[in-house]
Amino acid sequence: MTITLEQVDKLRERANVSFEEAKIALEQNNGDLLDALIWLERQGKTGSTAGGSYSTRGPEIPIPSCTKGEGPGAGGKDHWNPSWEEFKTKAKDLFQKSLDNNIQAEKNGKVLLSIPVLMGALLMLAGFWIVVPLMVLGLFCGYRYHFSGPDLGREAVNSVMDRVTDTAEGIRDNVKKSWRQEQSRSGE
């Protein structure tokens, strides 16, 4: 049987071996790709002797793996790939920022309630249909909401909150005005 370049390339791709090793494996197994892969594994040339799978779908996306004692300063501890470490660091930073920054409810310039952003987010998740209507009702009753803290206590963030409050106050004033006009018309 003649071995084609395509067969050798496929075997090289799947087994991560040289052209020569792939050609020899295919020749030893009469051109059968699967048998050649198994033969290479038994020879210890593929690098994966303990189980595994093969597919005709093409290369797969690598899955993050945990390795013991690799890299500088590992000391036998488990180390995830760098993207996992980066994710953990960013998650810790976000968690800390959610505790360092607060949501405040104010009325007439006096802070009546100040809770960490994390607690506010959890309240929104747990009781969305209760918390949001209460906050909207608070806007119409003259409450203002602001953020305070090193990350969210900026003028740009709070100016948006002020515009929302001003809009709610404008709506409230228009409703009051319309109601008064209706009352004065019905009283005539």
Side-chain angles (χ1 to χ4, degrees):
M1 165 168 218
T2 58
I3 307 299
T4 66
L5 183 58
E6 283 181 335
Q7 289 174 307
V8 173
D9 280 339
K10 282 184 183 178
L11 184 57
R12 280 192 68 231
E13 185 179 300
R14 294 192 190 332
N16 196 22
V17 294
S18 70
F19 277 106
E20 183 180 2
E21 290 170 323
K23 184 178 180 232
I24 292 170
L26 285 165
E27 287 172 348
Q28 291 292 319
N29 292 285
N30 297 325
D32 187 295
L33 185 61
L34 182 58
D35 287 340
L37 279 168
I38 294 169
W39 187 81
L40 285 168
E41 279 185 354
R42 287 184 181 150
Q43 301 291 320
K45 295 183 180 183
T46 61
S48 74
T49 56
S53 64
Y54 300 101
S55 171
T56 58
R57 293 185 206 158
E60 294 184 18
I61 299 170
I63 299 171
S65 62
C66 180
T67 57
K68 284 201 173 244
E70 291 183 3
K77 295 168 70 178
D78 286 347
H79 290 283
W80 292 87
N81 68 8
S83 61
W84 176 250
E85 288 295 327
E86 185 178 328
F87 173 77
K88 286 191 329 187
T89 302
K90 289 188 186 247
K92 285 179 187 176
D93 289 345
L94 181 63
F95 180 75
Q96 189 60 48
K97 285 179 181 182
S98 71
L99 293 174
D100 292 342
N101 295 284
N102 295 322
I103 299 173
Q104 297 178 334
E106 304 172 355
K107 186 165 185 176
N108 300 326
K110 183 179 177 187
V111 176
L112 301 173
L113 176 71
S114 181
I115 60 172
V117 171
L118 177 64
M119 184 181 235
L122 292 175
L123 283 172
M124 290 288 274
L125 288 173
F128 180 83
W129 296 109
I130 296 170
V131 173
V132 171
L134 286 175
M135 288 181 74
V136 171
L137 183 63
L139 285 172
F140 289 106
C141 292
Y143 287 89
R144 290 184 170 269
Y145 303 106
H146 286 111
F147 290 102
S148 66
D151 302 302
L152 294 177
R154 299 189 188 121
E155 187 64 33
V157 175
N158 286 323
S159 67
V160 172
M161 300 296 282
D162 286 336
R163 279 188 263 150
V164 169
T165 303
D166 292 341
T167 302
E169 287 176 351
I171 293 169
R172 179 189 67 199
D173 292 343
N174 285 336
V175 169
K176 279 184 179 180
K177 185 178 177 183
S178 296
W179 186 75
R180 285 185 191 134
Q181 287 175 348
E182 280 295 319
Q183 292 297 319
S184 65
R185 284 186 204 153
S186 64
E188 291 176 0

